[in-house]
Amino acid sequence: MLQTSYVKYIGTERTTFFSHDVKNFKPRERWQWRLSNSATPVPRGAFPFVGSIKRLGTVHALTSTTPPDLNPKLLTPREDKKANYVPVYVMLPLDVISTENQLEKPEELRIKLKTLKSADVDGVMLDVWWGIVESKGPKMYDWSAYQQLFGIIKEEGLKLQAIMSFHQCGGNIGDIIYIPIPKWVREIGMSNPDIFYTNKRGTRNEECLSLGVDDQPLFSGRTAIQMYRDYMKSFKENMKDFLDAGLISDIEVGLGPAGEMRYPSYPESQGWVYPGIGEFQCYDKYLQEDFKAAAAKVGHPEWKLPGEDAGDYNDTPSSTKFFRMDGSYITEEGKFFLTWYSNKLMVHADQILDEANKVFMGCKIKLAAKVAGIHWWYFHPSHAAELTAGYYNLTDRDGYRPIARMLSRHNAILNFTCVEMQNYEHPRGAKSGPEELVQQVLSAGWREGIQVACENALSRYDRNAYNQILKNARPNGLNKIAPSKLRVFAITYLRLSDKLLEENNFSIFKNFVRKMHADLDYLPNSDKYFVPIETMARSKPEILIEDLLEATKSEKPYPFDPEPDMPVGGDNLFDVLFVLFGKIKSIFT
């Protein structure tokens, strides 16, 4: 009988499975497939049954148009439903640790954490500010306030997502406090301002260091990447007990402003207002020299960085020569610049994540990287706001899948924002497309075989926002007889506040958590039913930039259902009465 080879792609790796002829495969049947060289069963759904067959040598290969299975475990029917449980984390306030490195109002915080726990929240997310911990001088770390805070979180039975925050707090949307990067680093910038990102007018941005100094030994003999590495090493050493106890589920590595992997292209501190296109940030001397050398290497020493033709922070694409319909961005020089600009960002992230992997190797945690949800001008041909931020994304060029491929070598989570937004909520003139952007980015991550996580960009307390998050978290709904093929790894809600804890708001939020948990009770180790968090192994070999860029080929995203199948409110009589009671109560209070 003719054998058929079923091919499963995880990132760029291909695993081949041999089975009976295609005609013998029955949908939803619990087959015990086995690798040809192994006795290990291959789980149900590990390869699809919908696709096109093409000849590969003497066997046939089934190439799929359906999503990959991201849950490589054999589960019982009861466990299958648990695999639909999406953990919910809540971001703690930005100022929970003061600029004087003191835990603010610990007993009041403890009460709020107990309240979160009463809603079956799985954990919290927290910025671990470089500017606070290493404020007194190079390698002079003070973790005492964070150790106190971690202890309280552990005592309250919550997990923790820790952000290595190598950026300033202040100058971005939602920033309510000013926490600069360490003073001794800023003092170096007084004599050498080119350590900071710079726009075409020479305006410096001190909220984080330019990626141009990643490998420059300007900081008491250390490079920027070495400083980040040493900070993470000190964190690991001082938080060893918490790491060993399983308190920390993942480490999100700060890679730019607001902790995001991007350039600071739209700083409110410099006058940017939504939906301005932003400005390129590559005019410090280190990046200028790098671009000049790169252009000369390809035989075009005459090529220059974009100038006034790229417009100002609050311009529209059509008002600039660079981003207009027939603009410079589609010329050979423009394409070269945008490729260089976005590639520098990927290399920057890859190098820092590689150091993070070395530091945390052996710990039972995952690494994560945050990608910004720049949804305005998404429906303009140039995607101008994405381009200035470093995401070279066009209608015919995927700017996010190469990032996902880079993350795949570190087995890192891609954390994406703006999952609460819908297109109609934004001015038509902004050509905003958060729904399509989320669909594109999550699909990019899933196609590269990595886990994706999400968070809301703005604080929201309404059912519409919660239902949009639910739709994106399980875009094809709850699968009651098998794990969802498409499902995010976790959701982080932004953020803990007095307003969230108001009775009506918190009642809706508790319902949201319940729906995110697939109407299941709290599961303390929910990852074991989906993709278990394992001891961190060494990152895979570096992926050549040419191989990363192969992922820019544009493909249709996976289809998302128009509505969540388990919405907050209105999906049963109890929810209807719950919502009605809340509305009546709000009238009289």
Side-chain angles (χ1 to χ4, degrees):
M1 180 174 62
L2 177 67
Q3 272 200 323
T4 303
S5 164
Y6 293 86
V7 180
K8 175 185 177 185
Y9 285 90
I10 295 296
T12 57
E13 297 183 2
R14 189 177 82 172
T15 306
T16 304
F17 303 91
F18 292 93
S19 72
H20 301 290
D21 197 346
V22 177
K23 66 185 179 186
N24 293 326
F25 186 88
K26 298 178 182 178
R28 303 192 183 282
E29 186 169 354
R30 189 179 290 275
W31 289 77
Q32 293 290 302
W33 305 98
R34 297 178 185 274
L35 288 168
S36 59
N37 62 347
S38 170
T40 304
V42 179
R44 172 185 57 185
F47 42 84
F49 52 82
V50 177
S52 58
I53 299 175
K54 63 181 181 181
R55 175 72 63 177
L56 275 186
T58 58
V59 298
H60 291 84
L62 186 67
T63 57
S64 173
T65 58
T66 60
D69 182 5
L70 301 179
N71 175 29
K73 294 185 65 201
L74 280 173
L75 300 174
T76 67
R78 185 173 181 178
E79 289 175 329
D80 277 344
K81 186 174 182 182
K82 291 181 180 179
N84 294 286
Y85 177 111
V86 177
V88 178
Y89 290 74
V90 176
M91 177 76 80
L92 292 185
L94 292 167
D95 57 353
V96 66
I97 302 292
S98 72
T99 53
E100 290 74 35
N101 205 358
Q102 298 293 319
L103 175 58
E104 295 283 10
K105 303 176 180 178
E107 292 311 312
E108 182 179 317
L109 175 65
R110 187 186 291 273
I111 292 171
K112 291 179 178 179
L113 294 179
K114 287 181 183 294
T115 304
L116 291 179
K117 188 65 179 176
S118 73
D120 285 342
V121 165
D122 297 86
V124 294
M125 178 179 268
L126 172 70
D127 285 285
V128 183
W129 296 106
W130 181 34
I132 291 177
V133 174
E134 199 179 355
S135 62
K136 296 180 180 179
K139 298 187 179 182
M140 297 174 64
Y141 308 106
D142 182 357
W143 299 100
S144 56
Y146 282 101
Q147 288 170 327
Q148 182 185 0
L149 175 56
F150 285 20
I152 292 174
I153 294 169
K154 182 174 181 289
E155 289 167 6
E156 296 309 321
L158 294 163
K159 296 282 189 179
L160 174 64
Q161 298 171 320
I163 309 172
M164 301 292 101
S165 298
F166 300 117
H167 61 283
Q168 167 189 293
C169 180
N172 284 294
I173 298 170
D175 287 350
I176 60 171
I177 188 174
Y178 176 63
I179 304 174
I181 62 175
K183 181 180 179 182
W184 57 271
V185 175
R186 287 179 284 129
E187 288 174 346
I188 294 172
M190 293 177 67
S191 59
N192 182 7
D194 286 287
I195 67 172
F196 300 118
Y197 283 112
T198 307
N199 67 14
K200 61 182 176 291
R201 291 178 300 280
T203 306
R204 314 291 184 174
N205 188 324
E206 296 187 5
E207 60 182 303
C208 62
L209 296 176
S210 166
L211 61 80
V213 298
D214 277 353
D215 300 312
Q216 299 291 332
L218 305 172
F219 308 96
S220 301
R222 292 187 295 168
T223 67
I225 288 181
Q226 288 170 341
M227 288 195 296
Y228 307 146
R229 176 204 63 196
D230 292 344
Y231 182 82
M232 291 186 285
K233 285 176 66 175
S234 181
F235 174 90
K236 179 187 175 184
E237 292 164 2
N238 285 272
M239 302 303 182
K240 183 178 186 301
D241 290 345
F242 298 114
L243 286 163
D244 291 345
L247 171 69
I248 303 170
S249 58
D250 62 78
I251 300 288
E252 185 171 289
V253 183
L255 299 171
E260 297 170 332
M261 180 189 161
R262 64 174 175 87
Y263 294 90
S265 56
Y266 52 100
E268 287 189 324
S269 60
Q270 294 183 21
W272 174 85
V273 177
Y274 175 84
I277 59 174
E279 294 185 22
F280 294 116
Q281 303 289 320
C282 53
Y283 300 89
D284 61 78
K285 67 180 182 182
Y286 302 103
L287 287 178
Q288 287 196 65
E289 290 170 0
D290 191 284
F291 177 80
K292 184 177 181 180
K297 187 175 180 179
V298 297
H300 287 282
E302 75 281 5
W303 281 353
K304 307 293 183 184
L305 293 171
E308 294 301 321
D309 62 329
D312 296 330
Y313 285 121
N314 295 316
D315 280 337
T316 63
S318 59
S319 66
T320 73
K321 292 182 179 179
F322 192 89
F323 297 112
R324 66 190 185 190
M325 295 286 285
D326 59 345
S328 306
Y329 79 95
I330 59 175
T331 65
E332 288 306 306
E333 183 175 356
K335 291 177 181 178
F336 176 82
F337 163 73
L338 291 169
T339 301
W340 169 85
Y341 189 67
S342 57
N343 285 357
K344 293 296 294 183
L345 188 62
M346 275 201 296
V347 171
H348 164 75
D350 187 48
Q351 288 180 322
I352 298 175
L353 287 167
D354 195 54
E355 292 300 326
N357 172 266
K358 293 175 187 176
V359 169
F360 293 106
M361 189 169 55
C363 297
K364 197 173 181 181
I365 57 170
K366 290 184 74 70
L367 296 179
K370 185 176 176 182
V371 174
I374 302 178
H375 52 85
W376 54 104
W377 304 115
Y378 184 83
F379 287 126
H380 187 274
S382 70
H383 290 242
E386 292 168 87
L387 298 192
T388 57
Y391 305 138
Y392 189 4
N393 188 52
L394 302 172
T395 304
D396 59 352
R397 187 188 196 278
D398 194 329
Y400 299 99
R401 192 167 174 185
I403 295 172
R405 182 166 294 182
M406 178 271 294
L407 294 176
S408 71
R409 93 171 182 99
H410 306 291
N411 194 28
I413 300 166
L414 191 162
N415 186 18
F416 195 63
T417 65
C418 78
V419 292
E420 84 283 11
M421 295 182 178
Q422 297 183 64
N423 295 359
Y424 75 86
E425 297 170 338
H426 301 273
R428 176 176 289 184
K431 296 188 181 296
S432 179
E435 295 176 61
E436 289 77 10
L437 176 61
V438 168
Q439 190 175 4
Q440 178 189 349
V441 176
L442 300 194
S443 295
W446 286 322
R447 280 201 166 101
E448 290 301 320
I450 65 172
Q451 299 303 321
V452 297
C454 298
E455 62 184 61
N456 50 308
L458 303 175
S459 295
R460 296 279 294 269
Y461 311 97
D462 58 289
R463 289 180 176 81
N464 284 341
Y466 288 135
N467 286 331
Q468 187 67 15
I469 296 172
L470 280 160
K471 186 193 86 166
N472 289 322
R474 286 189 297 262
N476 299 143
L478 186 72
N479 193 337
K480 296 180 180 179
I481 63 171
S484 300
K485 281 188 176 295
L486 299 183
R487 202 215 85 177
V488 300
F489 191 75
I491 286 287
T492 301
Y493 174 81
L494 184 137
R495 80 179 56 244
L496 177 61
S497 66
D498 291 337
K499 188 169 183 180
L500 172 65
L501 299 181
E502 290 175 5
E503 186 175 359
N504 188 58
N505 287 341
F506 196 63
S507 295
I508 300 171
F509 176 75
K510 285 195 293 185
N511 198 3
F512 164 70
V513 174
R514 179 75 181 180
K515 299 307 179 185
M516 199 62 71
H517 288 172
D519 272 339
L520 296 169
D521 293 335
Y522 170 70
L523 294 175
N525 295 297
S526 61
D527 62 288
K528 76 177 185 179
Y529 303 107
F530 183 54
V531 178
I533 298 175
E534 299 176 340
T535 301
M536 188 179 297
R538 184 72 182 97
S539 292
K540 297 172 186 175
E542 182 180 354
I543 303 174
L544 296 176
I545 198 71
E546 293 82 5
D547 294 330
L548 292 176
L549 295 182
E550 286 180 358
T552 59
K553 181 182 177 182
S554 182
E555 293 186 54
K556 287 185 178 181
Y558 293 130
F560 281 30
D561 294 343
E563 301 289 340
D565 64 343
M566 297 185 72
V568 173
D571 60 339
N572 58 47
L573 179 60
F574 174 80
D575 282 329
V576 172
L577 294 174
F578 185 90
V579 173
L580 182 61
F581 175 76
K583 290 182 177 179
I584 294 173
K585 185 176 180 181
S586 66
I587 295 173
F588 296 100
T589 57

